[in-house]
């Protein structure tokens, strides 16, 4: 298939691109490089630097290329920023997404796999979280992703769009060539690496009095290659799936302290931790039920345990100490 991958210069998008190319697909990678890195884009993908808010640019791209499908990962995705500046999240994640859908429909492209998130659920009432659990986002990031899921359903009614939303829990890990490099970094595992490497003096642990087994937050970590694999499964079956949403998590969780312990073990380095207050809005535990994606798509993660996931990320980090900087 000829596939447009938006957000191809980002962490997950670069790995999705790598795996799709490995499957023999023809990839055009789109990104505005606001958060991604040109060097992360697989050399076999054609790269287009374009902002999703440039609707005319998107229409011209779709008119020039005949895409079979779109994998839509480009987004504003920093939760802290979404609390401070909700407008830009609605602009990029909703208006930008609508620009993409309009360009697709105008050129008869009717397959999209969308990067959604556990943040669509907000504070979960039950763990593990199933797909039809209540959705009450607690930040504009989750709200914008949920809104776009719903918007796609309207495009199905009007135009027969096939859409699969993958609600990722916590992405982690790396391939040999592509890993997580955000500036600023807000994700736990790379932050613990920074503390282990002495690049930050210590890492803040937000809350040690949560209702969890050791008092720290519990999250469900999925290897980025297993996330990419779910996109391939979804694309292969999208015409028969029609409209679906799947959680993408392991169905088991690790606490922040367990992550720190695993990083110490994998790196052989000390990590200085400063316990601090809870962050408002953080759920204590986020664990996916992944039964649906396992049974319907046949998804089966290759990286089942945290230490292996961290090991891949650490190897990438050591090989690329300056990330994608030349
Ligand atoms: N990392 C996670 O754990 C996680 C969890 C749940 C969902 N997600 C979702 O997965 C997707 C990828 O996440 P990531 O961690 O790789 O993030 P990322 O920031 O590394 O990648 C997002 C990419 O989108 C690009 N982008 C942002 N605004 C754009 C615009 N207006 N036009 C064109 N490109 C634009 C950025 O430059 C960046 O390269 C996002 O949609 C995110 O919401 C990620």
């Amino acid at each position: 298939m000829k596939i447009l991958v938006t957000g191809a210069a980002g962490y997950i998008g670069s790995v999705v691109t790598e795996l799709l190319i490995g499957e023999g697909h023809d990839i055009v990678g789109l990104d505005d490089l606001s958060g991604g890195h040109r060097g992360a884009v697989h050399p076999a993908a054609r790269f287009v630097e374009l902002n999703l808010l440039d609707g005319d640019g998107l229409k011209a791209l779709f008119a020039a290329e005949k895409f079979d499908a779109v994998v839509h990962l480009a987004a504003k995705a920093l939760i802290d920023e979404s609390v401070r500046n909700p407008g830009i999240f609605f602009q990029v994640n909703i208006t930008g997404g609508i620009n993409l859908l309009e360009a697709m429909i105008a050129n008869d492209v009717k397959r999209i796999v969308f990067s959604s998130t556990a943040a669509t659920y907000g504070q979960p009432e039950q763990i593990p979280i199933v797909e039809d659990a209540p959705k009450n986002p607690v930040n504009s990031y989750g709200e914008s992703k949920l809104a776009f899921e719903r918007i796609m359903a309207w495009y199905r009614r009007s135009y027969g769009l096939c859409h699969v939303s993958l609600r990722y829990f916590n992405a982690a890990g790396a391939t040999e060539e592509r890993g997580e490099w955000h500036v600023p970094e807000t994700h736990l595992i790379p932050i613990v690496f920074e503390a282990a490497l002495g690049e930050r003096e210590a890492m803040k642990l937000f809350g040690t009095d949560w209702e969890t087994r050791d008092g720290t937050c519990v999250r469900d970590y999925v290897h980025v290659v297993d996330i990419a694999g779910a996109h391939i499964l979804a694309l292969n079956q999208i015409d028969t799936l029609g409209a679906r949403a799947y959680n993408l998590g392991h169905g088991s969780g690790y606490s922040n302290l367990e992550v720190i312990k695993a990083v110490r073990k994998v790196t052989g380095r000390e990590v200085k931790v400063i316990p601090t207050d809870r962050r408002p809005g953080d759920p204590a535990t986020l664990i996916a039920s992944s039964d649906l994606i396992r049974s319907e798509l046949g998804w089966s993660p290759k990286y089942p345990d945290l230490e292996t996931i961290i090991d891949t990320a650490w190897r990438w980090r050591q090989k690329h100490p300056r990330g994608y900087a030349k």
Side-chain angles (χ1 to χ4, degrees):
M1 282 203 270
K2 183 163 171 181
I3 302 169
L4 177 70
V5 177
T6 75
Y11 166 44
I12 304 170
S14 67
V15 175
V16 168
T17 300
E18 181 181 325
L19 264 81
L20 287 171
I21 285 170
E23 293 280 305
H25 296 292
D26 179 10
I27 304 299
V28 175
L30 177 153
D31 204 293
D32 71 349
L33 299 180
S34 56
H37 313 274
R38 179 66 184 88
V41 183
H42 194 289
R46 268 170 305 134
F47 180 66
V48 177
E49 188 173 341
L50 191 67
N51 191 321
L52 290 174
L53 295 175
D54 179 355
D56 290 340
L58 280 171
K59 283 204 170 119
L61 174 65
F62 275 81
E65 310 265 358
K66 182 79 196 90
F67 294 117
D68 298 300
V70 173
V71 179
H72 179 33
L73 299 106
K76 295 292 287 179
L78 296 181
I79 290 181
D80 290 0
E81 189 189 357
S82 88
V83 175
R84 289 194 311 274
N85 187 3
I88 186 71
F89 279 70
F90 296 129
Q91 276 172 3
V92 172
N93 297 356
I94 300 179
T95 308
I98 293 172
N99 288 344
L100 182 65
L101 293 177
E102 287 294 311
M104 288 174 64
I105 295 306
N107 292 280
D108 207 28
V109 181
K110 296 196 175 167
R111 302 183 185 102
I112 183 168
V113 178
F114 170 59
S115 302
S116 191
T117 167
T120 53
Y121 295 106
Q123 293 284 354
E125 288 169 13
Q126 280 192 324
I127 297 291
I129 302 171
V130 292
E131 281 78 357
D132 57 5
K135 286 163 202 74
N136 300 302
V138 293
N139 46 55
S140 67
Y141 167 62
E143 186 73 48
S144 68
K145 291 282 185 173
L146 181 59
F148 191 67
E149 283 195 24
R150 290 182 172 153
I151 287 165
M152 288 191 298
W154 290 103
Y155 276 73
R156 176 159 185 79
R157 287 192 194 190
S158 299
Y159 309 112
L161 181 76
C162 291
H163 57 96
V164 175
S165 295
L166 299 173
R167 297 183 188 135
Y168 314 161
F169 280 59
N170 286 55
T175 65
E176 285 294 314
E177 297 304 329
R178 289 168 189 85
E180 188 163 17
W181 195 268
H182 292 118
V183 183
E185 191 50 78
T186 60
H187 292 123
L188 182 64
I189 292 171
I191 286 178
V192 189
F193 286 165
E194 288 174 10
L197 288 162
E199 292 171 6
R200 61 171 75 207
E201 202 190 316
M203 61 153 302
K204 285 185 187 163
L205 192 55
F206 295 106
T208 51
D209 56 353
W210 296 96
E211 307 74 32
T212 58
R213 50 185 174 262
D214 62 18
T216 65
C217 288
V218 170
R219 296 289 180 267
D220 188 335
Y221 293 89
V222 197
H223 197 282
V224 65
V225 164
D226 287 324
I227 291 182
H231 290 73
I232 291 169
L233 293 170
L235 280 168
N236 289 344
Q237 301 168 59
I238 193 163
D239 291 342
T240 44
L241 290 168
R244 305 295 283 148
Y246 298 105
N247 287 341
L248 195 44
H250 268 282
S252 56
Y254 294 94
S255 74
N256 289 350
L257 279 178
E258 287 164 348
V259 171
I260 293 165
K261 202 171 145 198
V263 172
R264 285 185 179 130
K265 190 168 169 202
V266 168
T267 64
R269 291 166 183 253
E270 195 36 57
V271 176
K272 204 168 154 197
V273 174
I274 303 176
T276 137
D277 291 344
R278 295 178 177 197
R279 279 184 306 199
D282 262 353
T285 300
L286 285 177
I287 296 176
S289 162
S290 54
D291 292 352
L292 196 63
I293 191 165
R294 287 174 194 264
S295 66
E296 288 194 3
L297 295 191
W299 182 73
S300 170
K302 294 191 183 80
Y303 294 86
D305 69 286
L306 183 67
E307 267 179 38
T308 314
I309 293 173
I310 290 176
D311 187 57
T312 65
W314 179 239
R315 277 193 278 119
W316 183 81
R317 180 80 199 214
Q318 286 181 301
K319 200 170 160 192
H320 306 268
R322 297 177 60 232
Y324 292 101
K326 287 238 169 69

